[in-house]
Amino acid sequence: MSATDVETYEPLPDTGGPAQPLLMVRNLRKYFPVRGGILGRTQAMVQAVDGVSFEVKKGETLGIVGESGCGKSTTAKLLIGLTPKDEGEIIFDGIDLGEGLSLKQLRKGVQMVFQDSYATLNPRMTIEASVAFGARVQGLDDPEGRARRLMERVGLDPNRFAHRYPHELSGGQRQRVNIARALAMSPRLVVLDEAVSALDKSVEAQVLNLLSDLRREFGLTYIFISHDLNVVRYISDRILVMYLGEVVEVAPVDSIWAEQAHPYTRSLFSAMPAMDPDHRTKEPPLSGDPPNPINPPSGCRFHTRCRFASEVCKTTPPRLAGLARNAQHLVACHLHDAASGHPKAGQEVAA
Amino acid sequence: MSDKLLDIRNLTIRFRGKRTVHAINDVSLSMEQGETLALLGESGSGKSVTLKALLGLLPPKRTDIEGSMHVNGTDVLSLSGKALQRYRGGEVSMVFQEPALALDPVYTVGHQIAEAVMRHKGVSKSDAMSVAHDMLERVRIPSARRRLSNYPHELSGGMRQRVMIALALACRPKLLLADEPTTALDATVQIQILLLLRELQKDFGMGVIFVTHDIGVAVEISERVAVMYAGQIVEEGTTREIIRDGRHPYTRGLLAANLHDVARGERLNAIPGAPPALETRPENCSFAPRCPLVEPACRAGLPPMRTPAPRRRVACVRAETPIAAE
């Protein structure tokens, strides 16, 4: 690691001080219309993200987990303004997006790496041109030099790779290009949406090591989205669990690994393959597939698959609140809210 | 021929074209009746090619196949025409990774299962439909009667994969080939399908070859594991032996990369580099360029196949010495 790399890494200045969360999201909502019929009228709404709130502290890594259709990727796209939000606030280092902060400024501070490393690179641009593109748009000086230095940093020799095209690279190499491209803007927050999921296991470990190094070197903050709990546990400081467009649980990684407070989180954890041939999984933790987000269940959206569901779960949506013994561990479940009216509320429920 | 379910000897598959790809290099593999074997490996290691060869699905004009493959004594490579049709779906059938692509979108799922039954068993349409209904119940599809007349797009991903399994098992094959059947599914659905396959395997007493890149999935489904790398089997043994005492450096690298019990923030022991391109036939150990324990002998020639225990083998010069943890 040479000193020049640090010098060319010029993130936006810190405006809010260390206590200000780098990113605050309040009541984020996005419904997608489903059109049909001869006239193409809106027939229904997919409730992709519904009332999602969370914070990301400076320098931490927040892992987001959940099954397909739970709104992980939509949340990520809303954060960098790739999809316009319906409602809600996105506050980057104390400045509100749309009021004090333009989309272009936001994208200097927040960058994203996607799952499909091939689809996200322009096939007609060389690697160097792709990595330098954002810096040129933002008017940063010496975009090519910047690109070459970052390629070097992510482990791609610029003399060998700068003039190649995406199809000439392997999946792991392309994902390194995508990481270099994101870093070319000197962002403070990088959103990694299933960034290692398409890679082979041995290559995945290499890229995870690279991400850890870059976080330390450049003081980055990550939002790491994945369906692989082992990967999320390895890289994250806190884990946020989503189900059908809502946040069901947010907790520090050790706390959630020790105790999953929401019944859905518990099912998700027990669905992990056992890795022990003498203790294989005997019972599937949940039956059936997740419901359709077009018409999500009323009340608590998990009540249709929950073993502990009672009347109150069908009617009243639970609120996200801290556990009595650990205020850092937030859960949206009537079982943990003594005043909810759930018959088993406040009791310890056996796993 | 013995009563082995599967006997592959010295299988070599080469694809010709603008560039030649040596996809499978001298693979031998055998299975007893009713065994479950996981073929574990990364993309390009030859797992899926092996399965396709077993069903005779590789394009004959561009493929050179050497060696032999026998399933229940049938010489697979000699089959053609009617005999091949009877064999596919009757003796051996396959569950694919993406059921949405493998099922026909313009026929109901009941029709598709019944068609296979009518072809193979020569029964009437109504009898075939009742077999289809029975199969949908066996794979635990709720309200199976009604689902018979659904089209694939009307079903969720997990349901479609259940239909795919029902279709594959409708003619009671002796060997089921499963090509990453749970990779496209969500975690909570994946475990349901794995447990279902385990149960059906026991009920029907069939053999299963389960291709996967996920060691955890292999542990859940199989008794035995064969690890593939660059078109070769580098290690084979019971699931316990592979998990507890993996001898090949590649197997150990894969186990470490699973992150199952890595401390948070600890540096990962990643295998450097990438798999070889397979444009030439390997003449020495294919893993040598990435191996942390490489020695001159590895580059001098193909590694010897060591057999530390019955039905256990490791293609590595160091297989005899258990590798001390680094």
Side-chain angles (χ1 to χ4, degrees), chain A residues 11 13 38 90 135 151 163 176 212 236 245 256 260-261 270 295 299 308 326 333 343:
Chain A
I38 302 166
I90 296 171
M151 284 175 62
H163 299 290
R176 287 171 192 268
S212 305
S236 309
I256 202 167
Q260 300 98 47
S270 22
N295 249 325
F308 307 106
N326 184 358
C333 179

Side-chain angles (χ1 to χ4, degrees), chain A residues 33-43:
Chain A
V34 180
R35 295 184 204 282
I38 302 166
L39 300 173
R41 288 208 186 95
T42 300
Q43 311 258 318

Side-chain angles (χ1 to χ4, degrees), chain A residues 66-69 170 200-206 208-210 212-213 215-216 227-228 230-238 253-254 264 267-268 270-290 305, chain B residues 41-44 156-159 162 186-192 194-195 198 213-223 239-240 243-244 250 254-255 257-275 290:
Chain A
E67 298 179 278
S68 51
S170 71
D200 276 322
K201 277 285 164 196
S202 66
V203 180
E204 179 185 272
Q206 297 168 9
L208 286 173
N209 274 340
L210 173 67
S212 305
D213 293 347
R215 173 174 57 186
R216 205 171 38 245
H227 64 277
D228 186 334
N230 281 323
V231 173
V232 170
R233 181 194 64 128
Y234 169 73
I235 198 134
S236 309
D237 299 303
R238 285 192 307 140
V253 61
D254 295 327
Y264 173 67
S267 310
L268 199 60
S270 22
M272 272 196 290
M275 281 308 282
D276 181 351
D278 296 319
H279 298 94
R280 305 207 290 195
T281 311
K282 301 221 167 52
E283 280 282 307
L286 285 179
S287 57
D289 296 65
R305 301 171 86 197
Chain B
E42 298 179 289
S43 43
S156 66
M159 282 300 161
R162 284 169 196 266
D186 282 320
T188 58
V189 182
Q190 162 171 295
I191 196 82
Q192 294 170 30
L194 288 178
L195 295 184
R198 222 158 72 187
H213 63 270
D214 186 332
I215 288 190
V217 168
V219 171
E220 286 287 0
I221 194 84
S222 62
E223 299 158 12
T239 308
R240 266 181 207 86
I243 294 287
R244 305 255 162 83
Y250 177 65
L254 274 188
L255 283 166
N258 185 266
L259 306 182
H260 181 63
D261 39 27
V262 184
R264 205 149 58 83
E266 187 180 291
R267 213 170 161 69
L268 298 175
N269 226 332
I271 307 174
R290 305 174 75 188

Side-chain angles (χ1 to χ4, degrees), chain B:
Chain B
M1 213 70 255
S2 62
D3 58 348
K4 281 204 174 90
L5 173 61
L6 174 73
D7 193 16
I8 298 179
R9 296 233 176 123
N10 306 102
L11 182 70
T12 298
I13 299 179
R14 202 165 57 228
F15 294 118
R16 275 174 289 123
K18 248 192 261 165
R19 32 190 284 270
T20 303
V21 177
H22 294 255
I24 302 287
N25 298 300
D26 199 15
V27 161
S28 296
L29 186 66
S30 72
M31 274 172 83
E32 304 294 333
Q33 299 287 343
E35 258 180 356
T36 46
L37 171 84
L39 273 187
L40 187 68
E42 298 179 289
S43 43
S45 62
K47 315 173 300 246
S48 299
V49 173
T50 309
L51 289 200
K52 285 187 177 154
L54 271 170
L55 271 184
L57 288 175
L58 297 172
K61 282 198 180 133
R62 288 190 287 114
T63 319
D64 292 334
I65 304 183
E66 285 160 33
S68 72
M69 287 189 289
H70 288 86
V71 174
N72 261 333
T74 312
D75 182 358
V76 179
L77 293 175
S78 72
L79 294 176
S80 63
K82 281 265 157 38
L84 184 59
Q85 280 182 18
R86 268 197 302 277
Y87 164 82
R88 284 181 186 157
E91 196 81 359
V92 178
S93 62
M94 184 142 162
V95 176
F96 295 90
Q97 175 172 354
E98 197 46 83
L101 300 177
L103 292 169
D104 194 324
V106 301
Y107 293 104
T108 64
V109 299
H111 181 104
Q112 293 183 52
I113 299 174
E115 185 190 4
V117 177
M118 288 189 312
R119 283 261 180 138
H120 285 283
K121 307 274 179 201
V123 296
S124 72
K125 174 127 198 215
S126 62
D127 286 352
M129 267 298 180
S130 73
V131 173
H133 177 235
D134 179 51
M135 285 313 299
L136 289 192
E137 283 190 333
R138 292 300 285 263
V139 298
R140 306 260 172 70
I141 290 188
S143 40
R145 173 75 56 198
R146 197 161 50 82
R147 291 296 184 191
L148 279 175
S149 51
N150 275 161
Y151 289 89
H153 76 268
E154 297 175 293
L155 304 171
S156 66
M159 282 300 161
R160 276 200 287 261
Q161 199 54 285
R162 284 169 196 266
V163 168
M164 194 73 228
I165 293 169
L167 173 59
L169 299 185
C171 297
R172 305 291 160 100
K174 293 282 181 312
L175 178 61
L176 177 72
L177 309 177
D179 190 1
E180 308 232 15
T182 61
T183 306
L185 303 175
D186 282 320
T188 58
V189 182
Q190 162 171 295
I191 196 82
Q192 294 170 30
I193 298 287
L194 288 178
L195 295 184
L196 174 73
L197 275 173
R198 222 158 72 187
E199 183 193 311
L200 292 172
Q201 185 271 331
K202 222 179 272 162
D203 290 356
F204 291 6
M206 63 194 169
V208 177
I209 303 183
F210 196 102
V211 161
T212 180
H213 63 270
D214 186 332
I215 288 190
V217 168
V219 171
E220 286 287 0
I221 194 84
S222 62
E223 299 158 12
R224 301 182 57 77
V225 175
V227 182
M228 290 194 79
Y229 185 78
Q232 289 154 314
I233 291 179
V234 296
E235 182 159 8
E236 191 198 346
T238 64
T239 308
R240 266 181 207 86
E241 287 164 341
I242 300 290
I243 294 287
R244 305 255 162 83
D245 181 28
R247 295 281 181 92
H248 197 283
Y250 177 65
T251 312
R252 299 172 68 85
L254 274 188
L255 283 166
N258 185 266
L259 306 182
H260 181 63
D261 39 27
V262 184
R264 205 149 58 83
E266 187 180 291
R267 213 170 161 69
L268 298 175
N269 226 332
I271 307 174
L278 295 177
E279 282 176 0
T280 54
R281 193 185 164 92
E283 277 160 5
N284 49 19
C285 176
S286 303
F287 189 62
R290 305 174 75 188
C291 184
L293 305 164
V294 64
E295 47 187 82
C298 305
R299 297 215 169 87
L302 284 171
M305 188 60 83
R306 298 272 159 85
T307 46
R311 300 198 70 200
R312 170 130 173 79
R313 54 179 163 151
V314 189
C316 180
V317 291
R318 306 182 48 132
E320 309 284 285
T321 41
I323 307 158
E326 289 114 85

